[in-house]
Amino acid sequence: MRLFEWLLGWQERTNVHGDLLELGAYLGRSAILIGRHRRAEERFTVCDLFEPLPAREDARDHPELSRAAFETNYLAFHPTLPEIVQGPSASIRDHVKPGSCRFVHIDASKVYEHVRADLEAARELVVPEGIVVVEGYRAEETPGVARAVWDAVATGGLRPVCLTPARFYGTWGDSAPIVERLADWLAERPDEWAYDRHLMDGRAFVRARLTTTTQRPTLPLPTASRSTPVAPAWTARKAPRKRRYFRRLVKMVTARPRRSLRAAVRRARRAWTWR
């Protein structure tokens, strides 16, 4: 979320104009975030099959329920819906003009052939300074996404900008200015981000991840020393004597009528004092 915000904001600060596109929306979490940066003159297009929700027994044959869930979630944060294309991502060229998008988020499929086709479409649809984001490029259960991404880097001219544990950020334009500014932004937040720079084919990119310093800190355990005061010996017998006192009190109370409760307590206290 932080990187989405920064990259979209960087495009706005550097006057990069274009539409927004998401391939694969599911229930709209990332679409809600992207929609925050849609300008008045820009289009935001969302493409998804809107397959039935797997957790709903009554939704197996009703994909419209998934689309309704997306629309409900999106309208909870925005006054109007984006332009929705319900269908395969392969048809996106029929709905979006070439060279018109500044930001493309790809999360429609995990199959190599599909992701490769989505990246080829994104290359035609983005402006020269456009950013493409690919979800799940390094997960062990999605090797097809990783192959498609690195094939695009090796032979398709895609240049890495930033790698995170979850997403690949790249561009087909000049990556140097955005990498430099992004590295400066990460360096200004050492308590939030851990990052390093890498080179590939002579071009720099950054690898970043959120640090764990925002979680509850773990404090070192205290270590004993000679200056540590030693507790008095009587504290070791304090807890057992209290237990004996209460056992004596319980025995006295249960063995005598209720009217003698106060007398039993007094006798137990005296017995405690004498011991």
Side-chain angles (χ1 to χ4, degrees), residues 62-80:
H62 301 281
E64 66 273 8
L65 293 178
S66 179
R67 176 168 176 171
F70 167 82
E71 294 178 353
T72 300
N73 293 338
Y74 192 89
L75 290 175
F77 294 87
H78 300 283
T80 59

Side-chain angles (χ1 to χ4, degrees), residues 142-170:
T142 58
V145 180
R147 180 186 171 187
V149 167
W150 294 116
D151 279 356
V153 172
T155 62
L158 182 61
R159 298 166 180 172
V161 170
C162 181
L163 306 182
T164 69
R167 293 174 178 85
F168 172 96
Y169 300 81

Side-chain angles (χ1 to χ4, degrees), residues 4-234:
F4 270 51
E5 289 279 355
W6 188 90
L7 289 167
L8 287 162
W10 178 84
Q11 290 183 328
E12 295 162 6
R13 292 188 296 271
T14 56
N15 295 320
V16 177
H17 294 277
D19 297 331
L20 308 172
L21 174 62
E22 180 167 65
L23 303 179
Y26 192 46
L27 298 181
R29 182 174 62 177
S30 55
I32 292 169
L33 178 59
I34 296 171
R36 293 179 56 186
H37 293 268
R38 177 175 57 174
R39 299 163 180 161
E41 71 279 5
E42 295 175 345
R43 296 174 59 206
F44 180 25
T45 305
V46 171
C47 179
D48 198 292
L49 292 174
F50 293 105
E51 295 177 338
L53 299 176
R56 295 270 311 263
E57 292 293 334
D58 58 344
R60 291 178 178 176
D61 300 321
H62 301 281
E64 66 273 8
L65 293 178
S66 179
R67 176 168 176 171
F70 167 82
E71 294 178 353
T72 300
N73 293 338
Y74 192 89
L75 290 175
F77 294 87
H78 300 283
T80 59
L81 289 170
E83 297 186 20
I84 299 177
V85 177
Q86 185 166 349
S89 58
S91 64
I92 195 60
R93 291 183 178 91
D94 299 331
H95 304 274
V96 179
K97 296 179 180 180
S100 63
C101 296
R102 64 181 174 98
F103 192 90
V104 179
H105 180 217
I106 298 177
D107 188 22
S109 175
K110 307 304 180 186
V111 180
Y112 165 71
E113 290 78 10
H114 299 168
V115 181
R116 182 183 63 181
D118 291 343
L119 284 168
E120 291 174 353
R123 184 178 184 180
E124 298 179 12
L125 300 177
V126 296
V127 298
E129 303 85 0
I131 298 293
V132 61
V133 184
V134 184
E135 183 98 12
Y137 79 104
R138 58 172 291 176
E140 60 183 13
E141 66 272 13
T142 58
V145 180
R147 180 186 171 187
V149 167
W150 294 116
D151 279 356
V153 172
T155 62
L158 182 61
R159 298 166 180 172
V161 170
C162 181
L163 306 182
T164 69
R167 293 174 178 85
F168 172 96
Y169 300 81
T171 180
W172 280 279
D174 185 6
S175 60
I178 187 172
V179 170
E180 191 68 25
R181 185 63 193 94
L182 177 60
D184 293 341
W185 180 76
L186 294 171
E188 295 169 358
R189 294 159 175 79
D191 294 337
E192 298 179 28
W193 295 92
Y195 84 100
D196 49 14
R197 300 188 186 215
H198 294 265
L199 286 176
M200 184 180 295
D201 295 332
R203 298 185 182 276
F205 64 92
V206 297
R207 183 174 62 93
R209 63 176 178 84
L210 284 171
T211 63
T212 58
T213 55
T214 55
Q215 301 177 359
R216 180 180 298 178
T218 57
L219 301 178
L221 295 176
T223 56
S225 62
R226 294 182 179 180
S227 60
T228 303
V230 180
W234 56 267

